[in-house]
Each structure stands twice: as C-alpha cells, then as structure tokens.
Amino acid sequence: MDIAEALDAIGEDVMAGYSPERAMREFLRRGGRDQAGLDDLARRVAERRRDLLQRHNLDGTLQEVRELLDHALLEERKQLARDAMMDDGDRAFREMQLDNLPPNTAAAVSELSSYDWQSREAREDYEKIKDLLGRELLDQRFAGMKQALENATEADRAAVNEMLGDLNELLEKHQRGEDTDEDFADFMQKHGDFFPENPSNIDELLDSLAQRAAAAQRMLNSMSPEQRQELMELSQQAFGSPQLMEQLARMDANLQALRPGEDWGGSEQMSGEEGLGLGDGTGVFQDLADLDTLAEQLSQSYGGARMDDVDLDALARQLGDEAAVDARTLQRLEQALRDSGYMKRGTDGQYRLSPKAMRQLGKALLRDVAQRMSGRQGQRELQRAGAAGDLSGATREWAFGDTEPWHVPRTMLNGVLRRAGDPTGPRLSIDDVEVQETEARTQAAVALLVDTSFSMAMDGRWVPMKRTALALHTLIRSRFRGDHLQLIGFGRHAEVMEIEQLTALDAMWDKGTNLHHALLLANRHFRKHPNAQPVLLIVTDGEPTSHLEPDGEVYFSYPPHPLTVAYAVRELDNAGRLGAQTTFFRLGEDPGLARFIDQMARRVDGRVVAPELDDLGAAVVGSYLGSRGPSAGGYGGYGDWFGGRGFWVGD
C-alpha cells in the first residue's frame, strides 16, 4: 500500500474542490500506479456478467431430453425392423405410434409413458429422461443433486421425498413461529447430508435455499413461453411421479413467503450457443446475482458505503484470488487513511485532511518544486538587513539603497582626512558617508495574495494556485519558522485564510478582483511585524475590478473603474513605503493585464514573473527564497530564484 501516493492524489482532488471523503473515494475508484482500483474490478465484473449472458442459452435440459428421446426412438425402430418373430400387424401398429408422435417433446414423452418398449436400449433411454428431469429439478434447488442422484435407487428417491416433506414441515412451522432450535437440530441430524454448506441455524438454511430457489425462478422467467410450458409438462414425468413437483412447488411457496425480499420476478436475456441444464442454469443465475451485488458494492455509490462492504469470497469466486487480493488491499488502504491520522472527522460529521496530511502533502509539493528549480544553493542577501536590527558596532561605506543610520563621527573623519589631501574639495562627499551595520534581520513577514475570482477557476488555474500556497506554507512552517506567513484570497472581496480553508476552497464564481482589499490586509500584516522584512507576493490573472468603499461596501465595475485602480495603486504604494519586496506573478497572456502589472511593479521597484502554470509553485517559492538583486533585471527575470535560503527541502 502506497499511502503517500494515495495522499498526493487525494490532496489534488481536495484542492480541485472535492471533499476529502469524495477524494478518497475517487482514488479508491481509480487505483494507483501498481494497484487496481474499484473501476477496474467493476469492469471485470461487467465483462464476466456479459460473458455469461452471451455464452449460454436456457435450452440445455430440453435439448438433452430431445437427444435421449431421439435416440430411444431410433433404437426402437431398429428393434422393430430386425425382430422377425413379431406379428406384422403389431409391428405396423407400433411404427404408426412412433410416426404419429406429437412434435412437442413434452407431449411425446407423455404419450410414450404407456408405450411397451421392445428395445432394451430404448427403454433405458426413456427411463433416463424421467431420471434426468428429477435430478435437474432437485439440482435447481439443491446444488450438486444432479451428480449425487445419478443412478439413484428407489431408496435414494424415497429419502429425497422424505427430506422434502420434513423440510416443508419445518418451514411452515417456522412461518407460524412455532419452531424451536431442537426442531432445526433434529432436521439437520436426519438430513444434513443434503446440505454440504452446513448451516448453523434455520435462518442460514433459509437464506441458502431462498437464494437458490429465487435464481431458479428467475431462470424460469427468462425462458420463452413455449420453453416454459414444455418444461412444466416434462416436469410431471420426473422420477415417474408428480409427487416431486408437488413437494418442490410447496417448498418454493414457503420460501417466497419467508424471504419476499429475494428477486423472484427478475429475468435475463441469454443469446449464447452453450445450453444450460436446470441445475447449471440456476448456478449461472446465482452467479449473475453475485455479480450484480458485487457491482453495487464496488460502485460505493450508496449512503455509508465502505470498502468493508465488498464480499471478498464472492469476488474470489467470480474473478479469482487476484481480484480478491486487490480489493483487500484497497480495504486496508481505506482503513489506513482513516486510522493513521491523515483524515479526521469534523464537528459536522464530514472528513477533512488532518494537519498531518497537510504536512505530508506539502512535503510532496515541495519536492516537486525542488525538481523544477535549479540545484544552486545560496543564502538570502543579508547585507541590507534594515534599520530595525540591533547595532553591531561595525560600519561600512554607504551604497545606493542603504537605509541604515549614518555613523556621523566616521563620516566627518572621512571628510577631514580627504580635505587634508585636497583642501579645495567639498567639505563632505557622498564617498565619505559610512553607515552603521546592524545585526542581520532574517525574519520576513510574507503576504501571499492569491486571486480567487471566477476566471481562475474557469481557466484551470485553481489547483495550481492552491498547490503554490500549500508549498510555500509548508516551506515556511517546516524550515523558516521565524517568518510570518499570511494567506489572502481575493475575489469580489478579500479574506485572510488558513491553509486548510484555502486548500478546501470550492471554485468561486463571483465576478470581481479586489486587489485593493487584499493589499489593505497585507499592509496590516506587515505593520503587525515591524521588525520583519515585508515580502509581498501577488498571484493574479486579471486587473482589479472591485474595491472597498469607505463604508465597507464592495464596488464592482468592468472594465476597471479609474477609482478602483487608484485605490489599488495607493495601497501598493503604502506597501512600498513599508519596504515590501514585491513580486507579481502574472497568469495569462492578456496584453492589457501585462501592461498594467508592469506599471504597478515599476512603482515599487518590484518584479513581474509570468510562469507557466506548472512552474507557478517554483516561481513563488523561488521569489521568497531569493534576494531582490539586479540580476533579476527588474521585470520577468528569473535570475535570483535560485539563491536564497539554503537547503530548504528535506526528508
């Protein structure tokens, strides 16, 4: 069992909007790389059922009776032709009787019941017909009787009749509620040899008999009216006495009354060439019932369905031991997912992915991201750590972009020393300035803004967006726990989300891209962590089309209203003043969106990345890990993705 593979697949479906319960069902249905799923088993069940229907027909017993009758008539005519001592008138009369037999097999067998056979072989064949019918009728209700009663004696037949009588009395007593355990025990002690399945109580006996009898009735229902009529007429000849049919009809009536829930009215259309006798045909109809039950169990489409519902014994009987092993493996996998802490039931009774499962899924996504990124390893740029760190006591020459405080004594001294060599120079030059170094500030306040508007779902970007968020969340929680991550989804309005909420978020079909609201929440996050480096990551596929009004109401307009754009720009400028390192991840090829995003990024000296969907996770994680250096080229550069925070993907 590959639980990791199952968890990856379940996580994908959860991010696509499935509930964890449904996602687990989908994985069990599809199976894994080396594991057959429920769909494959159900397909094999359907093929087995189709094969039974297309291979067989229901004319087996009637055909066998016809063959025995034809052979008996042939042997009788031979005997009449070679018997020289027979009176010619008697011979002619007998030949006339044979020539004028009805074409209907049952009628011919009935008419010959009083015929005085001259051929020993012919008489034996005719007696075989009566014996065959009796054994077939019993085999319909009691599997194996046809073979067990072959060449049976009169004592054997009497024992069968006695068993049927006692059985009917027991069933009728049970139907009235008057039977006892002793009655069942006495019956089994006397007639147990007829029931090799060895039922332990009367209910098990009833279930076994009723299933077989219902299958026999369905077989009868599936015959043509002509076949059914002919068989009923032939049945009266069983064992040369109508007593057997009377007992069997009585038993069928008792079983229908005691087990009305069995399928007594069904039928099938069989079109094959292989004829089925009554006993074998009943077995096939039982197989068809087993296959129908297995198909329902394997579909898992009913309320409260569990893999434990699948009857492994029936599956092994119908498809072989390998299929039963596959189903057993799926049962164990389902149980492992439920019991190993990967899924937990919420207060509403529904299953959800547990934090343990989220971590496992996040690690898998990180491994995928790592494969997409370069193997170069580095450290995040710490030289420009910012003024919030404690002073280290050291100084260095000022460089463009430094925000650290000046070291005034060192700066003035540099000016004096320079003027000593060049008295005509300026009193203070930019080259004289030294800044005070601070301790490296390695914490970051990260705001990941993900577009949740309807276009993200419509254009197939929903799942990649969630995978990206989960990968970044896992990386920060497992490797950089000092950083502060906030996930913000923005559609018609924006909302701070926990990772579990975002990964389980259904596709949003509301129109609107409220970047203004999302930036408001991001800036609030940055202000809560003044000692951390702000990192702003924005994943979007559209221009802002909604904003928050002063009264808190959402305003929507498409094409974008100038005020909506202005509000978004104002909050982006606020993020820039807070020192946020900003990266836009533009999805889609819209030229208007590209121009807008480029202009927004320039305002805050940010970057624009336009990754393919498969590379979105690597792009976002790489931007978080990397430093914002000139190698990126300002826009669309990937140059610094692969520097950053060192060995961040582990086991």
Side-chain angles (χ1 to χ4, degrees):
M1 297 183 300
D2 191 345
I3 294 182
E5 179 191 2
L7 193 60
D8 289 347
I10 291 170
E12 284 287 326
D13 286 344
V14 167
M15 285 188 272
Y18 289 11
S19 69
E21 180 78 12
R22 181 183 173 191
M24 180 178 66
R25 294 285 170 212
E26 286 296 309
F27 178 77
L28 295 175
R29 185 178 61 77
R30 294 190 303 264
R33 288 186 297 270
D34 303 314
Q35 171 63 50
L38 293 174
D39 277 359
D40 182 65
L41 293 175
R43 174 187 57 78
R44 292 167 62 187
V45 164
E47 289 175 352
R48 163 83 170 149
R49 191 183 198 284
R50 185 167 58 251
D51 176 67
L52 289 176
L53 293 176
Q54 294 177 351
R55 192 194 330 156
H56 299 296
N57 65 60
L58 303 178
D59 210 24
T61 296
L62 294 177
Q63 184 63 34
E64 197 171 351
V65 169
R66 289 190 192 102
E67 290 174 358
L68 286 171
L69 179 61
D70 290 344
H71 189 264
L73 294 176
L74 178 62
E75 292 299 323
E76 181 67 8
R77 286 191 172 97
K78 288 180 180 179
Q79 179 63 31
L80 294 176
R82 63 174 173 258
D83 189 350
M85 304 300 295
M86 180 178 291
D87 180 75
D88 290 340
D90 187 26
R91 178 185 294 108
F93 178 73
R94 291 177 180 278
E95 289 176 346
M96 183 181 66
Q97 280 185 291
L98 300 180
D99 291 339
N100 291 317
L101 286 173
N104 180 279
T105 304
V109 171
S110 177
E111 188 166 320
L112 289 170
S113 61
S114 57
Y115 180 80
D116 182 18
W117 296 92
Q118 299 300 302
S119 167
R120 179 177 58 82
E121 292 84 355
R123 183 182 301 107
E124 289 176 353
D125 282 342
Y126 184 77
E127 292 298 324
K128 286 180 181 178
I129 291 176
K130 295 188 289 183
D131 183 68
L132 170 68
L133 290 171
R135 290 188 292 118
E136 286 278 21
L137 289 171
L138 285 171
D139 202 38
Q140 269 194 307
R141 276 73 172 187
F142 308 94
M145 279 288 198
K146 182 178 180 180
Q147 291 74 26
L149 290 179
E150 192 170 6
N151 301 318
T153 63
E154 287 299 326
D156 294 328
R157 295 170 184 171
V160 169
N161 283 327
E162 183 181 11
M163 181 272 292
L164 289 174
D166 292 345
L167 176 60
N168 280 317
E169 288 181 9
L170 178 63
L171 296 180
E172 289 161 1
K173 203 171 182 181
H174 182 72
Q175 191 173 355
R176 295 192 302 268
E178 299 173 359
D179 65 313
T180 64
D181 292 340
E182 288 75 13
D183 293 331
F184 173 77
D186 291 343
F187 175 82
M188 290 301 297
Q189 185 176 5
K190 185 176 181 181
H191 304 294
D193 292 342
F194 290 98
F195 304 95
E197 61 271 20
N198 194 27
S200 59
N201 54 56
I202 192 169
D203 287 322
E204 290 185 8
L205 175 64
L206 275 172
D207 290 338
S208 174
L209 291 173
Q211 289 168 7
R212 184 86 179 171
Q217 184 60 49
R218 291 194 300 275
M219 181 180 180
L220 191 64
N221 298 341
S222 303
M223 294 179 177
S224 67
E226 294 78 13
Q227 287 176 319
R228 200 158 45 241
Q229 178 63 30
E230 193 170 0
L231 186 61
M232 290 299 98
E233 293 175 3
L234 282 171
S235 299
Q236 301 303 317
Q237 304 298 321
F239 289 154
S241 168
Q243 184 180 3
L244 175 63
M245 279 301 297
E246 292 173 1
Q247 291 280 23
L248 291 176
R250 180 183 169 193
M251 185 184 77
D252 288 346
N254 288 328
L255 291 172
Q256 288 195 44
L258 289 166
R259 290 292 186 270
E262 293 289 339
D263 182 9
W264 299 93
S267 63
E268 299 288 350
Q269 184 68 40
M270 290 192 168
S271 56
E273 297 181 357
E274 184 178 326
L276 287 172
L278 297 181
D280 292 339
T282 299
V284 167
F285 273 80
Q286 279 192 295
D287 287 341
L288 291 172
D290 274 354
L291 293 168
D292 289 340
T293 301
L294 284 171
E296 182 180 10
Q297 292 169 352
L298 293 170
S299 73
Q300 296 282 286
S301 59
Y302 48 92
R306 296 285 295 265
M307 278 300 304
D308 289 341
D309 297 340
V310 178
D311 188 338
L312 299 181
D313 292 336
L315 196 62
R317 285 197 306 271
Q318 300 301 331
L319 301 183
D321 292 337
E322 183 180 348
V325 170
D326 286 335
R328 176 60 179 156
T329 303
L330 292 175
Q331 286 181 347
R332 294 174 61 193
L333 179 60
E334 180 192 44
Q335 195 64 39
L337 287 169
R338 294 184 187 277
D339 294 346
S340 61
Y342 288 113
M343 300 181 71
K344 64 178 182 179
R345 195 182 293 274
T347 56
D348 58 356
Q350 299 298 315
Y351 277 99
R352 291 181 172 82
L353 292 182
S354 67
K356 179 180 179 181
M358 297 295 291
R359 289 192 298 272
Q360 186 73 21
L361 182 58
K363 287 180 180 179
L365 294 177
L366 274 180
R367 285 193 293 271
D368 180 63
V369 166
Q371 291 173 359
R372 294 179 179 277
M373 294 177 66
S374 167
R376 281 179 50 192
Q377 301 292 339
Q379 298 297 325
R380 186 162 69 179
E381 179 64 60
L382 301 178
Q383 180 179 350
R384 298 169 56 199
D390 294 331
L391 297 176
S392 66
T395 64
R396 59 178 170 79
E397 184 179 352
W398 177 88
F400 178 79
D402 278 340
T403 59
E404 288 81 356
W406 286 13
H407 192 288
V408 177
R410 291 289 302 177
T411 300
M412 296 304 296
L413 177 61
N414 290 338
V416 170
L417 293 175
R418 179 180 50 76
R419 280 177 57 83
D422 182 15
T424 62
R427 291 192 175 185
L428 192 64
S429 169
I430 192 66
D431 295 329
D432 301 331
V433 177
E434 287 192 21
V435 295
Q436 303 181 66
E437 287 192 342
T438 60
E439 292 179 354
R441 185 177 64 178
T442 59
Q443 280 191 334
V446 185
L448 176 61
L449 281 54
V450 290
D451 192 341
T452 58
S453 61
F454 83 101
S455 60
M456 291 286 286
M458 181 178 65
D459 295 331
R461 298 160 185 156
W462 198 255
V463 173
M465 174 270 290
K466 291 183 178 183
R467 288 171 58 91
T468 298
L470 182 54
L472 182 61
H473 176 273
T474 303
L475 175 61
I476 292 177
R477 290 293 182 266
S478 61
R479 290 292 183 266
F480 309 111
R481 297 176 185 174
D483 287 358
H484 309 282
L485 173 65
Q486 186 166 89
L487 303 174
I488 300 172
F490 63 100
R492 197 173 188 90
H493 67 278
E495 180 182 358
V496 176
M497 296 182 176
E498 296 296 328
I499 187 61
E500 293 82 5
Q501 180 185 0
L502 180 60
T503 52
L505 187 67
D506 286 339
M508 309 281 284
W509 301 104
D510 289 338
K511 294 182 179 181
T513 305
N514 200 333
L515 182 59
H516 166 235
H517 192 186
L519 289 169
L520 278 171
L521 296 175
N523 288 335
R524 185 174 66 181
H525 175 60
F526 296 150
R527 293 187 183 100
K528 285 183 178 179
H529 305 283
N531 295 329
Q533 170 63 53
V535 178
L536 179 61
L537 308 172
I538 304 172
V539 178
T540 185
D541 68 347
E543 301 173 68
T545 55
S546 62
H547 66 264
L548 284 186
E549 294 283 8
D551 60 359
E553 293 296 320
V554 173
Y555 175 85
F556 169 78
S557 173
Y558 183 83
H561 192 280
L563 189 59
T564 300
V565 175
Y567 278 167
V569 169
R570 184 184 67 187
E571 287 305 318
L572 183 65
D573 289 344
N574 289 338
R577 282 190 286 272
L578 291 171
Q581 298 179 4
T582 303
T583 305
F584 286 89
F585 300 90
R586 174 173 56 81
L587 304 179
E589 302 298 330
D590 180 27
L593 173 64
R595 288 192 298 270
F596 173 78
I597 294 295
D598 284 350
Q599 293 170 8
M600 292 280 281
R602 286 192 180 95
R603 294 185 65 90
V604 291
D605 194 22
R607 291 183 300 162
V608 178
V609 178
E612 297 294 331
L613 283 180
D614 289 344
D615 289 326
L616 178 60
V620 172
V621 170
S623 181
Y624 163 70
L625 291 171
S627 63
R628 189 181 68 164
S631 60
Y635 304 96
Y638 289 71
D640 63 350
W641 278 17
F642 314 120
R645 315 204 90 188
F647 297 93
W648 50 275
V649 177
D651 296 331

